[in-house]
Amino acid sequence: MTTSIHALLDRVPTQLLIGGEWRDASNGGTFIVDNPATGDTLATLASATQDDAHDALDAACAVAAEWAATSTRDRSDVLRRAFDLITERAEDFATLITLEMGKPLTEARGEVNYGSEYLRWFSEEAVRDYGRSFPSPEGTLEMMTRRKPVGPCLLITPWNFPLAMASRKVAPAVAAGCTMVLKPAALAPLTSQFFAQTMLDAGLPAGVLNVVSSATPSDISEPIMKDPRLRKISFTGSTYVGKKLLELASQNVLRTSMELGGNAPFLVFEDADIDAAVNGAMQAKMRNIGEACTAANRFIVHESVAEQFGAKLATSMRQLRVGNGLAEKTTCGPLINSAAVDSMAELVRDASNKGARVLCGGTRGEGAGYFYNPTVLVDVPRSARAAQEEIFGPVAPIMTFSKEDEALEIANDTEYGLASYLFTQSIDRIWRVSSGLEFGLLGINAGIISNAAAPFGGVKQSGMGREGGAEGLDEYTSLQYVGIKVER
Ligand code: NAD
């Protein structure tokens, strides 16, 4: 590692943030964070225990009333300062993201832009926390609604967008006047630690945001979620863990936001602009090395253009440069760990055994890191695991259809309902097919649609609730209806 990287890592807090102080875990426990491109150790972090989880919730509860009473302008100003600070520190954030998660530096810079936009967006939304006022139909009451902070929240984030997944939760919670305990993923916690310090530097008062990274996540979630003072859990991660947390949340009837797994269909019709569809496919599949909940998972292509689409997609995939994301020429970084590489190899083997052909890739990459070469599979049967499961890596399975109804049926044949993509030049088809797609997000002739100003979230087993947009603030507020008797 270069001196500048050592110097950057030295500036990242490695302890727990509780009540505004960085401190060690109560039992002195630690865990290690690796660089997936090299296998090298990046840092040793304090690993929070159940006692630390209690302390973090105590800290969040201690300042909850005071923070809820602050003005929306004050909260907006903190968020705006945090946006400015992240922009100043953009290169540090991008380097940390690449170091701990692997994505190429250019994409990490993109995540810094995207993630910081949540702070700017919610600094603007904070002061627009509107209610309504209207007369009762009988004219005997003046009826008002107002929004109040939901209260102390537990925020649990995944490793794949280490800044954006944290800012997408922290920013609306701050805007709404909630206090928080944040538990980042143990595989990539450094960006969140640095983000938390940046929030303090922006003037966020002690105790509003507490951070408990931990190698044993249920030691954090269980005690906090069983404590009646917690009011909300917001989770982004796998559907498997989301279901466990929903069970726990039911005990105290917590408000829940769940951003879970995806299995996005990418539909290409015979009237699509095929070059545009291939560009969109590269973005939708290969952004974040395929490790995105919105990643195109199943390419469902009309039989008359499938060969052309597959050949062009394979040409673009072959041009990707696999390697350490810190090298400027790299366009495809490592996967998060060796299990993820094994999982790609297994999905490709399974599809091949069931009749799929490998157009490119299908092999592990070289080097000490966790590399898998960008892969295109054609003639993939619906029975293949790659056509059914969330892939989360650089493998693109192509299936074919002949009729529009069949395409829609294949697309919806999944328990997930997060992102979907549709490529066609027919306006009629856009309306027909988009109304039939059972997904929370839909890109039409577009491969990337995430935006801080848009409500992000899924249906079915992809979760509930929306992050970003005006809706993102609702998730952190409770509505109170007030009826005032009027004499006429
Ligand atoms: P994961 O479910 O394994 O972990 C997510 C978080 O939950 C991590 O912080 C982890 O430490 C924690 N966790 C794990 N077990 C827990 C437990 N028993 N109690 C409390 N916390 C626990 O997911 P991951 O591998 O980090 O992320 C990949 C998954 O996240 C994919 O399924 C992806 O689709 C999903 N994801 C969804 C969105 C979205 O917005 N819908 C965004 C990004 C990622």
Side-chain angles (χ1 to χ4, degrees), residues 154 156-161 165 168 183-187 214-222 225 233 235-242 244-245 248 258-262 291-294 336 390 392 416 418 456-458 462 467:
L154 174 62
I156 302 182
T157 52
W159 49 265
N160 61 341
F161 287 92
M165 296 302 97
R168 203 162 80 170
K183 197 214 74 65
L187 286 165
S214 177
T216 49
S218 52
D219 282 349
I220 307 304
S221 55
E222 288 196 13
M225 290 176 73
I233 161 107
F235 171 75
T236 299
S238 61
T239 298
Y240 172 77
V241 173
K244 287 199 207 177
L245 295 175
L248 258 180
M258 292 277 148
E259 298 285 352
L260 308 178
E291 295 171 317
C293 52
T294 51
I336 190 67
E390 182 177 37
F392 236 61
Y416 294 107
L418 188 59
F456 186 105
S462 287
E467 291 191 322

Side-chain angles (χ1 to χ4, degrees), residues 32-247:
I32 280 172
V33 182
D34 285 340
N35 179 345
T38 59
D40 294 342
T41 295
L42 290 171
T44 302
L45 260 65
S47 181
T49 62
Q50 295 202 359
D51 287 343
D52 298 317
H54 276 299
D55 289 352
L57 184 61
D58 285 348
C61 293
V63 298
E66 195 184 336
W67 179 241
T70 52
S71 74
T72 55
R73 177 61 69 203
D74 284 349
R75 303 198 298 254
S76 165
D77 287 346
V78 170
L79 289 170
R80 179 64 208 211
R81 278 195 298 274
F83 168 77
D84 290 339
L85 279 177
I86 294 183
T87 307
E88 264 171 41
R89 300 173 186 176
E91 205 54 20
D92 290 341
F93 272 104
T95 306
L96 276 179
I97 291 170
T98 295
L99 280 171
E100 65 176 343
M101 179 275 156
K103 73 182 75 175
L105 204 47
T106 327
E107 283 195 50
R109 291 178 184 129
E111 181 182 342
V112 177
N113 275 338
Y114 171 57
S116 64
E117 279 301 340
Y118 283 100
L119 297 158
R120 178 154 68 170
W121 174 259
F122 283 108
S123 77
E124 292 157 351
E125 288 296 289
V127 290
R128 304 204 168 83
D129 199 5
Y130 301 138
R132 290 191 294 149
S133 174
F134 47 103
S136 67
E138 302 74 21
T140 51
L141 287 173
E142 187 55 34
M143 311 204 292
M144 288 165 45
T145 62
R146 66 175 181 203
R147 301 206 285 186
K148 296 175 158 195
V150 75
C153 304
L154 174 62
L155 314 177
I156 302 182
T157 52
W159 49 265
N160 61 341
F161 287 92
L163 176 63
M165 296 302 97
S167 65
R168 203 162 80 170
K169 298 186 191 304
V170 169
V174 167
C178 296
T179 58
M180 295 150 269
V181 178
L182 168 66
K183 197 214 74 65
L187 286 165
L190 300 177
T191 309
S192 296
Q193 302 267 130
F194 196 53
F195 170 56
Q197 181 59 53
T198 303
M199 292 302 298
L200 295 179
D201 296 344
L204 192 69
V208 174
L209 172 63
N210 304 279
V211 182
V212 281
S213 292
S214 177
T216 49
S218 52
D219 282 349
I220 307 304
S221 55
E222 288 196 13
I224 293 187
M225 290 176 73
K226 286 181 177 164
D227 190 311
R229 294 173 300 168
L230 186 76
R231 293 311 321 138
K232 178 182 173 81
I233 161 107
S234 177
F235 171 75
T236 299
S238 61
T239 298
Y240 172 77
V241 173
K243 286 180 185 177
K244 287 199 207 177
L245 295 175
L246 278 169
E247 270 181 44

Side-chain angles (χ1 to χ4, degrees), residues 262-306:
N263 181 358
F266 188 105
L267 298 164
V268 183
F269 283 91
E270 61 273 32
D271 57 9
D273 173 337
I274 297 299
D275 289 332
V278 170
N279 283 341
M282 288 301 289
Q283 293 174 321
K285 176 78 243 178
M286 294 308 296
R287 174 177 181 230
N288 228 43
I289 322 150
E291 295 171 317
C293 52
T294 51
N297 213 60
R298 297 167 293 148
F299 291 89
I300 303 166
V301 184
H302 190 267
E303 58 191 9
S304 65
V305 292

